[in-house]
Amino acid sequence: MQTNLIKKIDLLKKKRGAIILVHNYQPPEIQDIADYVGDSLELAKISHRIDCEIIVFCGVHFMAETAKIFNPDKMILIPDEHAGCPMADMITAEQLLEEKESHPGAVVVTYINSTADVKALSDICCTSANGVKVANSVKNEEIIFAPDKYLGSYVANRVKNKKFYLWSGYCPTHMVFSKEGILKLKDEYPDAEILVHPECRLEVQKIADAICSTSQMITYAGKSEAEKFIICTEVGMLYRLKKENPTMKFIAGSLNAVCPSMKLISLEKVLWTLEDLKYEINVEESVRQAALKAIERMVAT
Ligand code: 13P
Ligand code: SF4
């Protein structure tokens, strides 16, 4: 059944001139049919340099939207229109405008996990991999950081002489990790290193051996002397880590760290997307251009 579906996807993908981009958190069977697997920014950059007419984006809405911001002339499709990111939806453009009015001297640094409307009102974007570098590149002394308060705190704690106004968004999936839970695992696997995504709470960040974005986890494991790692991010990441490092052991910091939106994508839906050319992502041109400026500023830092 699965083999049939994969064959059909492959045939139709070629016929349509489509490419399948897949985020690190996607289910294994979706990662296995990918042309490219990566983090949100890597995928957006790949989308930009790749020659194709259609991109099927297996991830959440803001990621597909970021690909559209880079590629106005390509058709960007997401296999499930309900695959949103709750954190990205925790700040609206209207709310960000009000926050800017309250702090007129502040520069707005916005996490890539945000809607195109919010990016368009931002001065510069950042990812979980480059937040500190981006904040240090800002000349102003005041920074509005949105929407993730935990990534914001992580950055604020490492940047000197700047005042941060943190928006109070968070990722529900990363809230399941607790200090007690991770320390219990560390008792079971004393020689394991603890890798923590900066979307986790500060009590979890504090006991980390390394705080990493999803792609940095892959690089870190590849270079480390350790052979076991406790992974504090969405469980889909474990499949990618194991595939790339088959001799190492990766232990989930919590098996409950499942992003429901990421798991909405299935092989059937990928096939239907290619058959029906649904659901297409569009971004209004003035919003796209303003959002692109904030992303390009980040890329230039
Ligand atoms: P990346 O930017 O590492 O792809 O992570 C995105 C995300 O949604 C983290 O929860
Ligand atoms: Fe959004 Fe969290 Fe899912 Fe990442 S894991 S897409 S931040 S809800």
Side-chain angles (χ1 to χ4, degrees), residues 117-277:
D117 287 343
V118 165
K119 285 187 181 80
L121 292 172
S122 307
D123 295 289
I124 186 163
C125 285
C126 78
T127 70
S128 48
N130 64 14
V132 175
K133 193 170 148 204
V134 166
N136 273 323
S137 78
V138 165
K139 296 278 176 285
N140 302 45
E141 279 162 21
E142 291 174 88
I143 291 180
I144 296 170
F145 192 100
D148 184 13
K149 63 179 169 183
Y150 295 109
L151 176 63
S153 306
Y154 167 79
V155 172
N157 289 337
R158 285 159 184 79
V159 171
K160 286 194 194 111
N161 305 324
K162 290 196 200 292
K163 182 163 177 51
F164 280 74
Y165 304 104
L166 302 179
W167 193 255
S168 58
Y170 60 91
C171 164
T173 300
H174 284 81
M175 288 308 95
V176 302
F177 300 103
S178 67
K179 181 179 164 189
E180 297 79 48
I182 303 304
L183 290 179
K184 249 190 216 163
L185 284 170
K186 181 75 180 169
D187 280 346
E188 233 180 287
Y189 303 97
D191 47 352
E193 285 197 279
I194 303 170
L195 305 189
V196 171
H197 194 279
E199 286 176 16
C200 292
R201 281 178 290 172
L202 295 187
E203 61 166 45
V204 182
Q205 292 188 21
K206 276 188 191 140
I207 55 167
D209 289 293
I211 300 177
C212 312
S213 69
T214 56
S215 290
Q216 285 172 338
M217 285 184 182
I218 299 168
T219 323
Y220 186 95
K223 286 187 184 158
S224 169
E225 304 268 285
E227 279 167 10
K228 291 181 193 151
F229 300 89
I230 296 166
I231 302 298
C232 301
T233 195
E234 211 273 348
V235 291
M237 194 63 216
L238 279 105
Y239 181 69
R240 172 103 199 261
L241 282 162
K242 280 182 190 153
K243 202 170 170 181
E244 299 212 4
N245 303 284
T247 59
M248 294 178 183
K249 187 168 175 66
F250 298 98
I251 303 124
S254 167
L255 285 171
N256 294 326
V258 178
C259 173
S261 295
M262 287 282 177
K263 306 314 183 212
L264 285 175
I265 313 292
S266 64
L267 286 175
E268 284 86 351
K269 288 182 193 170
V270 174
L271 179 62
W272 297 335
T273 290
L274 283 162
E275 283 174 349
D276 304 337
L277 300 181

